[in-house]
Amino acid sequence: MKLYAKKKIPLTWNMNPMDPWGTFRNVRSSESPRSFSAEPTGETFVQSVVSEQKQDTPYDVIYSSIIVAACVLIFLIIATLLFIKGRRSKNEEKSGSILVYPSSQGNASHFLTKEIHFSLPPLRSSSMGNLNEPIVEDSDVDTECLLIPTTHNQRSNSFSCYGLGVIEPSLYKSTLDLDEIQWPEGHIGRLWFSLRYEPSTEKLLVSLLKAKNLPSRTVGTVNSCDPFVRLHLLPDERRYLQSKQKKKTCNPYFDETLVFQVSSKEMMDRILKLTVIDGGRAKKKCEIGHITYPLKDLDFGDGSEQQLFKIDLEKEPHEIKSDLGELLISLVYNENLNRLSATVIEARRLKFQGDKHEAYVRVTLNQHYRGVKEKRTRIARPSRDGEVTFTEGFNFKLAPNQVDISSLAFHVFQATSGYGRDKLIGKCVLGSYMFARGKALDQWNIAISNPMEQRQEWHILCE
């Protein structure tokens, strides 16, 4: 007969040599009934205790590692903060150092700082000079306002060059011109620029300095102007140079230098044209005024000196007179017949060579710079006034889709004896924006946009 009973296992104290703190455990028997023998086997009890100890050991190692890692991380953060604070304090001490000049005593201590580079403006007069000395101003050109500042690589540790306690009169000198205070009525602006020509490189350098008193495009507003300057070398108006645009100012400072490549021979026949334009509106640009200057009046010199100019703008440019002469031309366009009629009326101030003064005009219709049709007038002689009258008209077939690629070239020749020996006096070209500028472009556009309306204009001849 088998007896079933619950056996209560007493508390045991097992000292594990691998665990310095020891292990106290309460081992209870399983609640499930099992067979009971008089002498229980000790092998099963020892194995159960050892297995429980092996399961608890990895968790203790993990907890210890986490605590050690946290301590190391906190130490590194504190050390980094202390290092950064020390570096900042050193930089503040260096930047906050004060330069103290040595006293007259040799043993006096003083601080040293790193070298600071700075430059002083050039002296215009002696600081110890006579303060009542009269100041001479040039009434023609305000050269002092136009001088380009130069930098001097000079360094000084004291201000003894000015003299302590002495007034420097140049610092209190007013550079404002009386003309700039009281602008004349109807004034539309004034432009400052300089010119210099280098004969060795055949370069014309135009330096744009500033402009004053430009009008605002909106009445009652201030600085409502976005100006820029466009430069031409007449009689060629197709090519030009242009400055950068200045925003919202009626008194812009440009400080730009533009370069034209022109030979010394061409300088005698060229005219510099400066046009100030307000480009504030996106689609429509307004011309404020113009300045024309004949380059034959420019003193070349050796190419090292530049001449300064201060000129008021004019609403319309001066009429340019060519040494080669002028030609009066009339244009009429018939849209129904696709016909362009050009009439050569007369010429004046033609530059003849030799004793035989006879001339004729050759008219050529060009498309994409290629001659399509060519006609010529009869030979005519000048009158007592020097005018040569032709009054001959020519018709050319011109479709509306060919207007933008077409142009009319008028060549004036001096008739001489012998075939092929006629000398070209000058020419002018009327056409679209691809071929012409100025009056030639305006007359062409008006004739095309206003059919059956006759318009005649004088055009200067160029080589």
Side-chain angles (χ1 to χ4, degrees), residues 242-303:
Q242 184 171 299
S243 69
K244 295 180 180 179
Q245 187 176 11
K246 303 300 177 180
K247 296 290 186 178
K248 295 182 180 180
T249 176
C250 293
N251 304 292
Y253 284 84
F254 296 101
D255 295 332
E256 292 185 51
T257 300
L258 306 176
V259 181
F260 286 98
Q261 194 73 34
V262 55
S263 63
S264 302
K265 182 180 179 181
E266 292 178 346
M267 286 283 290
M268 297 290 100
D269 301 328
R270 295 301 183 97
I271 298 175
L272 178 64
K273 178 183 175 183
L274 300 95
T275 304
V276 181
I277 303 174
D278 181 11
R281 298 177 181 177
K283 295 183 179 180
K284 186 177 181 181
K285 297 179 181 179
C286 176
E287 293 184 353
I288 298 176
H290 310 269
I291 293 174
T292 54
Y293 180 79
L295 295 180
K296 63 182 180 181
D297 299 337
L298 181 65
D299 185 11
F300 298 172
D302 57 353

Side-chain angles (χ1 to χ4, degrees), residues 84-96:
I84 294 174
K85 186 176 180 181
R87 289 291 297 271
R88 285 184 179 177
S89 61
K90 288 182 180 180
N91 293 335
E92 289 177 358
E93 290 178 0
K94 290 182 179 180
S95 61

Side-chain angles (χ1 to χ4, degrees), residues 371-390:
V372 176
K373 194 172 184 180
E374 181 178 303
K375 297 182 180 182
R376 56 170 290 178
T377 66
R378 58 179 177 84
I379 297 176
R381 293 182 179 181
S383 62
R384 293 181 180 180
D385 299 334
E387 297 181 354
V388 183
T389 304
F390 299 101

Side-chain angles (χ1 to χ4, degrees), residues 445-463:
N445 291 336
I446 292 174
I448 299 299
S449 59
N450 299 283
M452 304 305 297
E453 181 178 338
Q454 184 177 7
R455 181 181 178 87
Q456 59 184 23
E457 288 285 349
W458 284 99
H459 299 277
I460 61 174
L461 301 178
C462 59
E463 294 181 354

